[in-house]
Amino acid sequence: MARIKIDLPEKLGFSTTIPIRIQDVNYGGHVGNDAILSIMHEARMQFVQQAGYKELDLEAHTGLIMTDVAVAYKGEGFHGDIFTVEMAAGEYSPFGFELFYHITTQRNGQSITIADAKTGMICFDYNLRKVMKLPADMKTALENI
């Protein structure tokens, strides 16, 4: 069976921690795949804010929209874990970029990789409902994280 392979950049310049809540745990007793996407979304919001932007700017009717996602699950997460999400932007195009995620937790003195992931992001005009160009200043800000 073919597996998704995600090549993370060497430098992941952003890091945040996200505690695992009981609602993140599924019937299998571990963090569910839907919760991983939610955790990635929270980390993405913090990453974009670190660059000085918002995912959605209601006044300008512009923002970011996710075009795709790939997640390679590596280990289990449990209630009470605190996930560290390290991130970087890369693979820029005229309209967007990729965001890369490396999700780990510390348990019993060991670092455990939970997942590696990436999302495709494009700039989107929510007023006109169409794709727009990635502003040069936003690209520069993302590159400097």
Side-chain angles (χ1 to χ4, degrees):
M1 175 171 83
R3 299 280 325 253
I4 292 173
K5 183 168 178 1
I6 297 170
D7 294 320
L8 297 174
E10 282 186 32
K11 180 185 175 214
L12 299 167
F14 176 80
S15 181
T16 189
T17 57
I18 299 176
I20 299 307
R21 307 160 305 165
I22 193 64
Q23 63 258 37
D24 297 326
V25 177
N26 65 17
Y27 60 85
H30 55 224
V31 175
N33 57 5
D34 58 328
I36 294 290
L37 287 175
S38 181
I39 289 162
M40 290 168 56
H41 181 77
E42 176 61 34
R44 184 175 69 245
M45 296 289 289
Q46 292 180 30
F47 179 84
V48 170
Q49 186 176 24
Q50 178 77 27
Y53 292 88
K54 298 177 188 174
E55 230 184 26
L56 179 62
D57 185 343
L58 295 176
E59 293 175 17
H61 304 286
T62 60
L64 297 171
I65 193 166
M66 184 175 17
T67 58
D68 54 39
V69 61
V71 181
Y73 299 99
K74 306 284 186 176
E76 291 181 291
F78 301 101
H79 178 252
D81 282 348
I82 298 175
F83 283 4
T84 298
V85 183
E86 297 173 282
M87 295 180 64
E91 297 185 26
Y92 295 93
S93 77
F95 301 99
F97 50 91
E98 299 275 336
L99 285 176
F100 297 90
Y101 308 76
H102 181 61
I103 304 170
T104 61
T105 193
Q106 295 289 319
R107 196 178 311 124
N108 301 323
Q110 294 184 346
S111 179
I112 299 165
T113 299
I114 302 300
D116 291 329
K118 71 177 185 173
T119 54
M121 305 301 295
I122 58 169
C123 296
F124 192 76
D125 184 319
Y126 281 87
N127 191 37
L128 298 175
R129 311 300 301 171
K130 65 183 229 178
V131 174
M132 57 184 279
K133 290 218 179 239
L134 172 64
D137 58 336
M138 183 179 199
K139 180 182 178 203
T140 299
L142 293 169
E143 289 173 326
N144 288 323
I145 294 179

